[in-house]
Amino acid sequence: MWYIIFAVLTVVAHYGLWKLFVKAGRQGWEALVPFYREYVMAQLTGRAKWIVILLLVPIVNIFIFYGLYLDLIKAFGKRRFWENAAAVLVPFIVLPIWGNDPLVKYLGNPNSEEFKKKYFYKKSMAREWADAIVFATVAASLIRGFLIEAYMIPTGSMERTLLVGDFLFVSKLNYGPRVPMTPLAFPFAHHTMPLTGGKAYSELIELPYKRLPGFQDIKRNDVVVFNYPMEADAPYNRPVDKRENYIKRCVGMPGDEVSMSNAVLYVNGKPGFNPPEGQLDYIVVTDQTGLDMRVMRDKRLETIDTGQPNIYQVFMTADEAAMVKGWMNVKEVVPNIRKAGENEEGTFPHVSALNWNFDNFGPIKIPSKGWTVQLDSATMPLYERAITVYEGNKLENKADGTYINGAKANSYTFKMDYYWMMGDNRHNSLDSRGWGFVPEDHIVGKALFTWLSLDELGSGLSKIRWNRVFKGIE
């Protein structure tokens, strides 16, 4: 339905543009030909003709088009703020009105000195500020939505690759910018209004998933920002692009087979990525002196008192575990790895009979676009959510078999690629081991580097982790 409405509005807007071109002494059909249309706009507004070449540059072309377009509107005497805003927001209304209004005439090149002297229009201070704020908001929103965005690491799921308090830049260009699915939104707010709370977006207009061309495809072991897929469920039920942002490592690609055995990741039967600074939790047993919590805080080792005398749970890297093991009062340091065949609640696909846990599961094949899976009692728990929630199908299990969208089916062919995301802090990460696959339409961008890192336990200049400023993410 939205496609039809959008097509009708586009035709109406182009009709209005056609009429304005005729008023300017041009041929109406010139308003319908992409690139040539903008070339004519450059002629009518006194802009350099070569500027049209920049329309080939993604993102930049948005600024170029609207610069020429708004100059064209000014050439017909439409210089007020509301007129410019209406020309951008509702062109399908104002362009036909102006095109058929006999009082609206082409006044000449709006950038010429003659035009400026003849049609001198001094902006009020309020208009100057309004123009500046609108331009800054639009420019920042485009940069944030299509180029690069800043994020802050709130949890320790990627320790020690990324630390709590790291501020990083995430590129939308690497994998291709995702066209906003809910374009009606409050600027700079993700899903919740600042101060007042409530939704910061409207679902009045929802666009289908589409991604612009990028510089590269996702590669295995990239650190990726994506929308949390479980927010498709109650109580949130948020649109895809308004779901919470998560950051993990993409350890499994479409078509890969992933599994874990004794906390070791396997991809396609071979050992997968083992983060050099990745963490596990260890059980540390000491003599009666116990662990000095001030020392643990100074060394940034997350320590939990198990309630048993002189027994602690500590999250740390293998090197840190070796260091702790060398302390005089430490008797034992043992990785806290779940046993194979031991069911852990919350492990995907949440089937207790499988007896899977975060350290031992699989193998699981990750769906790829065009892959057909046979539907049976073994595959249904793994892929039902992808088929229904992520790809929007209605699946029913009846006495005589499985039905998809009312038609009996014994197989399903996936429409999207999927990924397997895991945190480098393997024992302190909510990731694909808990909620399964991440669909391609949830991918936000690639983490590039930290531009600032703040230690919550530091003070003054020591609060800044200087060795992490402008550090690349691997």
Side-chain angles (χ1 to χ4, degrees), residues 216-273:
Q216 64 175 93
D217 295 327
I218 297 176
K219 296 179 181 178
R220 188 179 287 107
N221 304 325
D222 279 356
V223 177
V224 178
V225 171
F226 57 94
N227 297 117
Y228 181 42
M230 296 305 289
E231 285 191 12
D233 305 331
Y236 297 107
N237 302 115
R238 290 174 177 145
V240 171
D241 59 338
K242 297 305 178 187
R243 294 170 190 166
E244 203 66 60
N245 291 316
Y246 269 44
I247 184 167
K248 307 289 180 187
R249 191 178 297 276
C250 178
V251 299
M253 300 290 289
D256 281 350
E257 199 171 72
V258 295
S259 62
M260 288 197 77
S261 178
N262 294 320
V264 177
L265 171 69
Y266 290 86
V267 180
N268 299 325
K270 299 179 181 179
F273 182 78

Side-chain angles (χ1 to χ4, degrees), residues 160-174:
R160 306 278 177 163
T161 307
L162 295 171
L163 306 181
V164 174
D166 278 354
F167 292 80
L168 55 135
F169 279 127
V170 174
S171 168
K172 309 288 182 74
L173 285 175
N174 281 65

Side-chain angles (χ1 to χ4, degrees), residues 263-462:
V264 177
L265 171 69
Y266 290 86
V267 180
N268 299 325
K270 299 179 181 179
F273 182 78
N274 184 28
E277 295 186 292
Q279 291 191 163
L280 293 176
D281 72 297
Y282 292 78
I283 300 300
V284 178
V285 182
T286 71
D287 60 21
Q288 66 276 8
T289 61
L291 291 176
D292 188 331
M293 290 301 144
R294 290 176 300 175
V295 173
M296 303 305 282
R297 283 194 298 272
D298 288 344
K299 293 187 176 297
R300 306 302 190 260
L301 297 178
E302 184 181 351
T303 305
I304 299 174
D305 191 334
T306 63
Q308 302 178 61
N310 306 318
I311 299 178
Y312 305 85
Q313 182 183 17
V314 184
F315 292 88
M316 51 189 169
T317 67
D319 289 343
E320 290 167 340
M323 173 191 69
V324 172
K325 192 172 184 180
W327 293 350
M328 293 293 293
N329 65 331
V330 172
K331 295 181 177 180
E332 192 176 21
V333 177
V334 181
N336 187 22
I337 296 176
R338 287 82 164 170
K339 296 178 181 178
E342 182 180 276
N343 180 64
E344 181 180 8
E345 186 178 354
T347 303
F348 179 80
H350 313 117
V351 177
S352 58
L354 290 174
N355 289 323
W356 285 359
N357 55 60
F358 273 36
D359 291 333
N360 298 274
F361 67 82
I364 301 172
K365 183 166 183 177
I366 305 170
S368 59
K369 185 177 181 179
W371 176 57
T372 300
V373 61
Q374 297 300 309
L375 300 177
D376 53 37
S377 59
T379 60
M380 191 69 76
L382 297 174
Y383 304 111
E384 182 176 0
R385 181 176 178 84
I387 294 170
T388 56
V389 177
Y390 304 145
E391 304 211 349
N393 299 288
K394 182 181 180 182
L395 189 149
E396 299 174 284
N397 291 311
K398 299 182 179 180
D400 61 337
T402 300
Y403 285 75
I404 297 178
N405 299 326
K408 191 173 183 180
N410 57 12
S411 65
Y412 179 77
T413 301
F414 288 93
K415 303 171 187 175
M416 288 192 292
D417 284 330
Y418 290 79
Y419 301 88
W420 193 265
M421 305 288 186
M422 286 175 56
D424 287 355
N425 191 350
R426 294 284 167 82
H427 282 171
N428 194 15
S429 173
L430 178 62
D431 52 35
S432 284
R433 294 171 295 177
W435 29 258
F437 316 112
V438 175
E440 66 174 72
D441 64 354
H442 283 55
I443 300 297
V444 174
K446 180 179 182 179
L448 296 180
F449 61 89
T450 58
W451 58 274
L452 179 65
S453 183
L454 300 179
D455 186 348
E456 61 181 359
L457 299 179
S459 60
L461 290 178
S462 67

